[in-house]
Amino acid sequence: MLANNLQQVLLFFGITCLVAFYFPFFKQGIYKQLGFTVTGRSATFVAAIAIGYCVLFLVGEKWGVVVMPFLPSFLLAVAAPWLLSVIKLPAPLRGLAMLGAAVSCSLYAPADTSRDNLVAACLGLITWKISEMAYIPDDPDFQDILPPLIWLAGLFWILTGLPSGNASTFEGVLLAALSSVILLRLFQNTFMSDDKWYLKRIIMSATGGLIMLIACTKLLLLTNAGNYAWLVGGSMFVSHMFRDFEDRAKDKINDPAVIFQFLSMAVLIAGVTVVASRLFGTLGFVIAAITTLVARPGGVALCVGLFLVVRALLQCYVVDYVANVTGVNILHPYVGAVIYAGFAISIVLAISLRDATDRWLKLALFLMTGTFAPLAANFFLHAEPAAGLFDATMVGAILLAILGPVVFRSTSGSLGYLLLAPAQMVAVGTLAGELVNKGNEAVAATKVEVLVAAGIIVAVAPLVIMMLVRMARSKRIEVS
């Protein structure tokens, strides 16, 4: 049974989502654009991913890593966005639909349901978004997966790192923040044009903070709601600022002075990260990520939102598996070594996004890195170096996603895909966390056997994947 205060804010959230979904659905005539289009390669590759991960889950279970109970959550999270994209539902509405489903399934799930189902669902959403890279040539738009990821990651942190007695309160705070941002996003497009003096952005941000304040005080009956209102309003204004910096820089990509615009965005990210974590802890990351949903499609702010979500998931991994109570010690020899590896992974993936002409090759590289790197780190290293690897890859990815246009002299937003690599790494690492203890207990001979088996899998898996997807390249089925 949900607490009474949580039921009230959940009702507010439900009404907000319904209005935000059905207003554009009917008012803008989106229902007239719906159809049913299935490309052979998209269907084949999604099926190949599902089969491949079923095999990995089964292998993990045979190794004594309990993961099979979470396979249905993973498969549903892969299938749901694919099915919604098949009927041509726009990304913002897909995000709302999956957010509503994620909230309903998690809050009304049986009490004995494992919290690792949340991570499995996160992994499914991230994996599907990576697969989209193969058959959708446009730059990434995270408006579809970011809303459900924010909720799932936020709830996972609440169940992992916060007092269980206050769980319903913190869940209500997340729902109130989501409701505030979704409501404002519905009206901002017509209001935000021609805002040279930032007045409209200030008004919108202040309104978001005010809605958050009202929801927390009147529905959740919180006495410290002002702090959350300031966080929502301030983070929302920063999210609007990213758009301004992008617009200034896009026509001056070859001007050496444009580097200061991109450095300003990096400084904004650092500022939000420090303030949110210092004053609100990991929950601050999640609330700040929520405010990035007001950003335009394909914008830098959405990459920042995904970065903050991954940072919250990483903190869950640290709490669960890292024995060092102060976090990750970067002066530890193993951690210091893997930091170089994390940055190298980000650079290699960035170069592949820029130069590789075969999208299947890029796809295989992303999937192999996101899946096998965390498994190897968990087993062959202990948890602290693994967390260091995830952190370094995440930081390298966000820096290259932000500074990539000036580094590569290109306005393409495809570098936003980089954030999916550390997201998948953290999700896989968390779900397969039992490998940490198994690696610590394994003898050298066992590790050599595992290394040989992993080498065979890494060599064969991309060949099988590429063979399957190439078989479907020329096939296309359309039903409307």
Side-chain angles (χ1 to χ4, degrees):
M1 177 66 71
L2 299 178
N4 186 52
N5 293 343
L6 181 57
Q7 288 180 346
Q8 294 184 48
V9 76
L10 184 60
L11 178 63
F12 174 51
F13 168 78
I15 294 173
T16 301
C17 286
L18 288 175
V19 171
F21 184 91
Y22 285 108
F23 184 81
F25 190 78
F26 291 106
K27 186 70 175 179
Q28 299 176 13
I30 290 178
Y31 69 94
K32 299 177 182 178
Q33 306 168 17
L34 297 181
F36 189 81
T37 300
V38 181
T39 62
R41 55 185 174 180
S42 73
T44 302
F45 194 76
V46 169
I49 284 181
I51 294 171
Y53 270 91
C54 285
V55 172
L56 284 176
F57 273 66
L58 183 60
V59 171
E61 194 76 17
K62 292 296 184 181
W63 268 69
V65 180
V66 182
V67 287
M68 285 300 290
F70 319 125
L71 181 59
S73 297
F74 170 81
L75 294 177
L76 285 174
V78 171
W82 180 75
L83 290 173
L84 292 176
S85 65
V86 161
I87 65 174
K88 299 181 180 179
L89 193 67
L93 297 190
R94 289 203 302 266
L96 279 175
M98 290 190 292
L99 173 62
V103 171
S104 300
C105 292
S106 56
L107 290 184
Y108 292 101
D112 58 348
T113 302
S114 173
R115 63 188 177 92
D116 287 337
N117 279 300
L118 303 173
V119 182
C122 289
L123 177 59
L125 292 170
I126 295 162
T127 303
W128 173 80
K129 197 63 181 181
I130 293 175
S131 74
E132 194 185 52
M133 186 194 311
Y135 55 89
I136 294 183
D138 301 330
D139 294 338
D141 181 8
F142 298 133
Q143 290 187 101
D144 49 359
I145 67 165
L146 191 53
L149 274 179
I150 288 172
W151 169 256
L152 293 170
L155 184 58
F156 188 67
W157 168 249
I158 290 171
L159 298 177
T160 300
L162 297 179
S164 58
N166 296 330
S168 61
T169 298
F170 293 122
E171 291 166 5
V173 169
L174 289 186
L175 291 174
L178 283 165
S179 304
S180 304
V181 172
I182 290 170
L183 191 60
L184 284 183
R185 189 175 67 174
L186 181 63
F187 304 107
Q188 72 175 4
N189 291 334
T190 56
F191 181 75
M192 292 289 289
S193 60
D194 190 22
D195 186 27
K196 184 167 60 175
W197 301 105
Y198 297 94
L199 180 60
K200 293 181 179 179
R201 273 171 279 196
I202 293 174
I203 292 174
M204 290 294 289
S205 301
T207 303
L210 181 60
I211 296 174
M212 181 68 177
L213 179 64
I214 294 173
C216 288
T217 55
K218 300 301 182 181
L219 300 179
L220 291 174
L221 305 179
L222 296 181
T223 57
N224 59 341
N227 296 331
Y228 294 117
W230 279 109
L231 178 60
V232 168
S235 299
M236 194 177 297
F237 182 75
V238 171
S239 296
H240 287 307
M241 289 289 292
F242 283 115
R243 180 170 185 168
D244 188 58
F245 285 124
E246 285 181 286
D247 290 340
R248 290 181 190 177
K250 66 180 180 180
D251 297 327
K252 304 176 183 178
I253 197 65
N254 293 315
D255 184 355
V258 79
I259 183 64
F260 293 105
Q261 300 292 336
F262 293 97
L263 287 176
S264 298
M265 288 191 279
V267 170
L268 281 178
I269 297 172
V272 170
T273 303
V274 170
V275 172
S277 61
R278 182 65 177 171
L279 299 181
F280 301 92
T282 302
L283 191 66
F285 291 137
V286 182
I287 295 176
I290 291 172
T291 63
T292 63
L293 296 177
V294 299
R296 63 182 173 187
V300 169
L302 293 175
C303 295
V304 177
L306 186 55
F307 164 77
L308 293 169
V309 169
V310 179
R311 180 62 184 84
L313 283 175
L314 177 59
Q315 192 64 33
C316 297
Y317 178 89
V318 171
V319 169
D320 276 342
Y321 301 110
V322 177
N324 186 0
V325 294
T326 59
V328 179
N329 177 14
I330 63 172
L331 297 181
H332 187 288
Y334 287 168
V335 178
V338 298
I339 284 177
Y340 294 102
F343 281 111
I345 288 173
S346 299
I347 293 171
V348 169
L349 293 178
I351 293 174
S352 73
L353 287 173
R354 183 193 66 174
D355 295 339
T357 56
D358 192 331
R359 282 181 286 174
W360 307 107
L361 177 62
K362 292 188 286 188
L363 189 57
L365 186 60
F366 267 75
L367 287 174
M368 288 170 59
T369 301
T371 302
F372 295 114
L375 295 178
N378 276 357
F379 187 78
F380 293 104
L381 307 173
H382 54 78
E384 195 169 352
L389 176 66
F390 304 154
D391 191 34
T393 308
M394 178 181 64
V395 173
I398 188 62
L399 288 177
L400 286 171
I402 299 298
L403 302 176
V406 70
V407 173
F408 296 135
R409 298 298 180 188
S410 171
T411 57
S412 172
S414 62
L415 289 174
Y417 277 121
L418 286 174
L419 272 302
L420 295 173
Q424 191 178 37
M425 290 171 66
V426 175
V428 171
T430 303
L431 201 59
E434 291 182 46
L435 283 176
V436 174
N437 291 331
K438 292 188 177 297
N440 292 336
E441 297 169 357
V443 297
T446 303
K447 290 189 175 183
V448 171
E449 292 174 1
V450 173
L451 190 60
V452 173
I456 295 174
I457 293 173
V458 170
V460 173
L463 298 177
V464 174
I465 292 173
M466 293 181 70
M467 180 185 68
L468 289 172
V469 296
R470 287 181 188 278
M471 289 171 56
R473 272 189 167 183
S474 60
K475 298 178 182 179
R476 183 178 180 85
I477 304 170
E478 292 192 6
V479 181
S480 58

